[in-house]
Amino acid sequence: MTVIVAESHYQPPNQVLTTLGLSLATFMRVLDTTIANVSLPTIAGNLGVSYNQSTWVITSFTVCMAISLPLTGFLARRFGEVKLFVWCTLLFSITSMLCGLSESMGMLLVFRAIQGAVAGPMYPITQSLLIAVYPPEKRGMALALMGMVTVVAPIVGPTLGGWITDTYSWPWIFFINVPIGIFASVVIGAQLAGKKEVTERPRVDYIGLIALIIGVGSLQIVLDKGNDADWFNSPFIVIMTIVSVVALIVFVIWELTDREPIVDLRLFRHRNFAAGTVLLILSYSTFFAMGLLLPLWLQRTLHYTASWAGLAGASIGIMPVLLTFFVGKYAPRTDLRLVAAAAFVVLGLTCFAQSQFYVGVDFMHVALVRGFQGLGVALFFMPVLTILLSDLKPNEIASGSGLSTFLRTLGGSFAASITTFVWDRRAVVHHAQLASHITPYNPTARAALEEMGKGGHDTRAALILNSEITRQGFQMAFNDIMHVLGWVFIALIAVLWLTKPPFQAKSSAAAAED
């Protein structure tokens, strides 16, 4: 007997308006992960706390978002994808308003934590809804649009946040979310009101949920605070690491053996989902490390302001915006592994180009390399997302998207911590190596010191020389990391061939033969 369960895509009354609503909500959510970063000093001053205390504004958001992301599938089954999206977006807007109205750091942290919790499901549910409202031949376009939003929003965030804080005041970085969120939730609620959804009342896996909250929460705090606390020299970081490892081991074992797990780790039985998720984690983490290091290098080594550092890196968003339509339309007609491989080649080559930067490099050169890097980004997200979702069943897409996004986010946190740690440590190593050549027996060094010391300014000359050695040390460390990141992108091409065609994100169940 053959049983065929067919569910064609849902056609909303206005597909353009639906796409706009989903895109704006996703843009708002991704933007909010970075927009507050540059405003932390102002927030700290206005609320009367130290800068280190103000960083919990970021940590509280990322911790709660990381916890709620893998719960997306469970919540979608319980409430339905449309209701989940509408309520999460609406609550995101409300908590944004409450963040802006906060009069103390305690109030702000509570509302940021709630905002992070409701932000988690928004991105994966948007992916699932976009696939549902587009026919198979246009789903590549939908996923390409998601990729473009994912790239552009974090680039715009710091620049927009800095401008709003300087021009108006820091609460407005939260207030701008309110009209966008209300518009998106109303539009999607109206446009997808007729979409039929089957909801369940799944048993709540309390042990898995508690293990997830403790494990992921502790791990995210370790990754966010590790550098500031000097890592494992801090008893707090050691204790949180132990708690995280134990809780996550319990979580994985429990979820793999429980009859109704709150997070379905069995999705990794699908070949393309497993390989695609590994690919997404590694490629996004490498891309994130590259994007994080560049503005830090521009400000610390080349002495750019935050605004100019943002402008120098912003050119990476041009190509994704221009090419989204063409990638979405034509890429699905080819082997998506070749498209992704081309993306990794471009990203690798631009990393190698950045590994040749020096302290005298000009703004235009940096911007041009970043602009060419945008070509790789334009070709990257859509193929990887399509491959990842290609062998999931329709009722698994929300869970799979939530799980892969969670692991991608966690990979980005690891990348951020490792990159800044390695950059600082390699700079120390290079500083020591360069300083070892400054001796009375080095005629060049001796002549330079004598020239700078004329007029009895020996101490000032030593300070100037040490400052330049430190600057060169950070430059050399930057070059080292970019060289390694380039080879990581090239190596990822091999992972692509672990996946297997056909690649088509589904919105209808396949036939099952009994």
Side-chain angles (χ1 to χ4, degrees):
M1 181 179 67
T2 302
V3 179
I4 301 179
V5 184
E7 178 193 307
S8 60
H9 78 281
Y10 175 76
Q11 181 66 45
N14 189 319
Q15 195 172 60
V16 174
L17 192 59
T18 303
T19 304
L20 178 63
L22 291 170
S23 301
L24 282 175
T26 302
F27 185 84
M28 174 183 70
R29 181 265 193 204
V30 178
L31 180 76
D32 230 58
T33 59
T34 59
I35 194 171
N37 293 14
V38 296
S39 304
L40 292 183
T42 305
I43 293 173
N46 288 359
L47 297 182
V49 299
S50 68
Y51 177 79
N52 283 340
Q53 289 174 310
S54 73
T55 59
W56 282 98
V57 172
I58 307 299
T59 303
S60 58
F61 181 88
T62 55
V63 167
C64 292
M65 184 177 68
I67 292 170
S68 63
L69 263 170
L71 300 177
T72 301
F74 172 84
L75 295 172
R77 294 198 307 272
R78 175 64 183 84
F79 301 105
E81 293 181 359
V82 176
K83 283 185 179 179
L84 180 60
F85 176 88
V86 169
W87 280 106
C88 282
T89 306
L90 202 56
L91 288 171
F92 190 93
S93 301
I94 294 171
T95 51
S96 292
M97 182 178 67
L98 293 173
C99 284
L101 295 174
S102 296
E103 297 180 352
S104 68
M105 181 55 67
M107 287 178 62
L108 180 57
L109 293 183
V110 168
F111 295 134
R112 272 293 273 181
I114 299 172
Q115 187 186 44
V118 298
M122 288 173 64
Y123 184 88
I125 286 298
T126 299
Q127 276 189 345
S128 185
L129 290 176
L130 275 174
I131 290 172
V133 300
Y134 276 88
E137 65 274 12
K138 292 185 178 179
R139 281 175 200 144
M141 182 76 70
L143 292 176
L145 178 64
M146 283 290 290
M148 186 266 288
V149 170
T150 304
V151 172
V152 173
I155 296 171
V156 173
T159 305
L160 180 62
W163 179 79
I164 290 174
T165 302
D166 293 340
T167 308
Y168 300 99
S169 59
W170 69 264
W172 283 96
I173 65 175
F174 299 110
F175 290 154
I176 60 169
N177 293 331
V178 177
I180 297 173
I182 292 175
F183 172 80
S185 57
V186 170
V187 165
I188 299 306
Q191 292 292 316
L192 301 185
K195 184 176 183 293
K196 295 180 180 178
E197 295 187 307
V198 178
T199 58
E200 308 170 8
R201 287 189 174 270
R203 176 181 65 87
V204 179
D205 172 19
Y206 288 106
I207 294 179
L209 179 60
I210 293 170
L212 174 70
I213 292 172
I214 295 173
V216 174
S218 301
L219 178 59
Q220 194 67 50
I221 290 173
V222 168
L223 294 175
D224 280 7
K225 299 298 182 182
N227 270 319
D228 295 335
D230 197 20
W231 289 104
F232 299 112
N233 290 320
S234 164
F236 173 74
I237 294 297
V238 172
I239 292 171
M240 294 299 284
T241 301
I242 294 171
V243 169
S244 173
V245 170
V246 172
L248 288 175
I249 290 173
V250 171
F251 170 74
V252 171
I253 294 173
W254 184 266
E255 295 303 285
L256 288 175
T257 55
D258 191 58
R259 182 170 51 86
E260 292 184 63
I262 199 164
V263 178
D264 191 4
L265 299 181
R266 298 184 185 94
L267 292 175
F268 288 106
R269 71 185 184 276
H270 298 293
R271 174 174 173 172
N272 286 351
F273 178 75
T277 300
V278 171
L279 192 67
L280 181 66
I281 295 169
L282 295 176
S283 55
Y284 179 80
S285 298
T286 308
F287 172 73
F288 190 84
M290 178 179 62
L292 172 75
L293 188 57
L294 186 83
L296 291 176
W297 165 74
L298 287 170
Q299 292 178 71
R300 182 182 289 186
T301 308
L302 272 59
H303 308 307
Y304 278 39
T305 63
S307 298
W308 279 104
L311 290 172
S315 57
I316 195 174
I318 296 173
M319 295 296 277
V321 172
L322 296 178
L323 296 179
T324 293
F325 171 80
F326 300 100
V327 173
K329 183 174 182 179
Y330 296 109
R333 302 179 186 181
T334 65
D335 188 334
L336 291 179
R337 293 175 297 185
L338 296 176
V339 179
F344 292 147
V345 168
V346 171
L347 291 170
L349 290 176
T350 51
C351 280
F352 292 143
Q354 289 176 111
S355 72
Q356 302 301 312
F357 283 174
Y358 59 100
V359 294
V361 68
D362 59 31
F363 176 92
M364 188 56 68
H365 194 73
V366 175
L368 286 174
V369 172
R370 286 285 282 179
F372 183 62
Q373 206 166 58
L375 174 62
V377 174
L379 299 173
F380 157 50
F381 274 98
M382 177 271 189
V384 173
L385 291 176
T386 303
I387 289 171
L388 186 152
L389 299 173
S390 62
D391 55 0
L392 295 183
K393 298 174 182 177
N395 62 338
E396 294 176 330
I397 288 178
S399 297
S401 181
L403 183 56
S404 61
T405 305
F406 158 69
L407 293 173
R408 185 199 76 184
T409 304
L410 207 57
S413 297
F414 269 104
S417 296
I418 293 171
T419 301
T420 52
F421 175 80
V422 171
W423 191 38
D424 287 338
R425 294 304 183 272
R426 289 295 297 169
V428 171
V429 171
H430 285 302
H431 184 283
Q433 291 173 340
L434 292 171
S436 67
H437 296 285
I438 310 299
T439 70
Y441 307 103
N442 185 328
T444 305
R446 188 170 63 248
L449 285 169
E450 289 174 354
E451 182 65 27
M452 287 188 290
K454 286 180 179 179
H457 299 296
D458 292 343
T459 302
R460 181 172 175 272
L463 290 173
I464 293 172
L465 186 59
N466 183 68
S467 176
E468 184 59 28
I469 290 173
T470 300
R471 187 182 181 213
Q472 294 290 345
F474 275 107
Q475 179 63 62
M476 294 169 73
F478 172 86
N479 293 353
D480 291 344
I481 294 173
M482 284 297 171
H483 190 76
V484 171
L485 294 180
W487 282 114
V488 172
F489 276 123
I490 300 300
L492 286 176
I493 296 173
V495 182
L496 279 168
W497 302 100
L498 297 177
T499 62
K500 184 179 181 181
F503 304 124
Q504 178 62 62
K506 303 170 185 174
S507 71
S508 60
E513 293 190 2
D514 184 30

